[in-house]
């Protein structure tokens, strides 16, 4: 997949949570060897002991780390503080977080995340499909402008994004598009990536 991905500045590479769990955070170093100049995200979904996990990711050359928005405010602040100390980007993943506005507003201005990620739950999507539901209109992108007002952060969107709906996410204010299954499940990774790049 890495060999086939276009080597462009706008293409970020993510070590997803299952990959990190299987091979450890050191997999980021393996990705770095294959793509030395890439911006690499370690999706750790950190919930606790953020200082330790963030430092591990930074030591493995990650440029950004995903922190779970389900963590306590104290855990989130410690994790974001550690990203600042390590000189890498913080991504706050808001999957399944209710009252996101209260949680984001509770973070002090100097400990707001660099990026807020609106993330559609894959298991929920699968369950709905298996029970005959329609996930065509299912998004988590309706609150982008409100999030930007609260945090001043960039906003990323993930979950079920295809070239057919990417314009909707962009129109609603998304700065970063995370395309997983459409690319990694493709028989032609380069073409699938180009399908997205054509929109930028």
């Amino acid at each position: 997949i890495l060999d086939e991905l276009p080597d462009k500045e706008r293409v970020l590479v993510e070590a997803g949570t299952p990959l990190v769990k299987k091979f450890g955070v050191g997999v980021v170093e393996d990705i770095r060897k294959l793509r030395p100049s890439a911006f690499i995200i370690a999706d750790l979904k950190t919930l606790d002991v953020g200082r330790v996990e963030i430092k591990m990711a930074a030591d493995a050359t990650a440029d950004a780390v995903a922190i779970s928005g389900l963590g306590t405010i104290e855990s989130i602040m410690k994790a974001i503080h550690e990203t600042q100390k390590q000189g890498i980007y913080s991504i706050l993943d808001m999957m399944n977080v209710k009252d996101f506005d209260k949680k984001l507003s509770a973070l002090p201005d100097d400990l707001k995340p660099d990026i807020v990620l609106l993330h559609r739950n894959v298991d929920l999507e699968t369950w709905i499909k298996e029970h005959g539901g329609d996930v065509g209109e299912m998004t988590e992108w309706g609150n982008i402008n409100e999030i930007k007002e609260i945090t001043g952060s960039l906003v990323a969107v993930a979950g079920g994004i295809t070239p057919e709906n990417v314009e909707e996410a962009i129109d609603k204010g998304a700065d970063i598009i995370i395309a997983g299954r459409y690319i990694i499940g493709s028989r032609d990774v380069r073409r699938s990536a180009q399908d997205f790049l054509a929109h930028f």
Side-chain angles (χ1 to χ4, degrees), residues 10-176:
R10 288 181 178 252
V11 176
L12 314 180
V13 176
E14 179 183 286
T17 311
L19 184 69
V20 172
K21 285 186 174 181
K22 183 169 184 176
F23 297 107
V25 74
V27 73
V28 172
E29 293 175 283
D30 297 330
I31 294 170
R32 180 72 62 201
K33 287 174 189 169
L34 295 169
R35 298 296 285 266
S37 62
F39 185 97
I40 303 173
I41 300 163
D43 187 0
L44 303 186
K45 290 190 175 67
T46 295
L47 272 166
D48 195 14
V49 293
R51 287 179 178 165
V52 175
E53 291 192 6
I54 303 299
K55 184 163 190 329
M56 287 167 52
D59 289 346
T61 75
D63 296 294
V65 176
I67 301 156
S68 175
L70 293 170
T72 64
I73 289 295
E74 294 77 15
S75 291
I76 293 169
M77 288 192 302
K78 284 185 179 182
I80 292 174
H81 180 265
E82 189 62 26
T83 62
Q84 294 171 350
K85 184 177 169 186
Q86 296 295 329
I88 63 177
Y89 290 83
S90 58
I91 301 173
L92 190 59
D93 188 334
M94 302 305 284
M95 182 192 289
N96 298 337
V97 175
K98 297 190 188 311
D99 297 326
F100 73 91
D101 51 340
K102 289 181 185 174
K103 193 148 222 182
L104 293 172
S105 296
L107 294 169
D109 287 343
D110 61 337
L111 289 174
K112 297 282 197 235
D114 297 300
I115 300 162
V116 174
L117 170 56
L118 298 180
H119 198 154
R120 191 166 91 188
N121 186 310
V122 174
D123 288 334
L124 175 61
E125 176 188 337
T126 302
W127 188 90
I128 291 170
K129 282 182 181 176
E130 287 171 351
H131 290 81
D134 179 16
V135 296
E137 300 298 316
M138 182 180 167
T139 70
E140 298 286 347
W141 312 335
N143 304 311
I144 292 175
N145 290 330
E146 186 178 353
I147 287 169
K148 288 183 175 185
E149 285 177 22
I150 294 169
T151 64
S153 307
L154 296 175
V155 174
V157 295
I161 298 180
T162 67
E164 287 71 40
N165 64 15
V166 69
E167 287 291 342
E168 178 191 353
I170 294 168
D171 288 346
K172 288 188 174 177
D175 302 293
I176 300 167

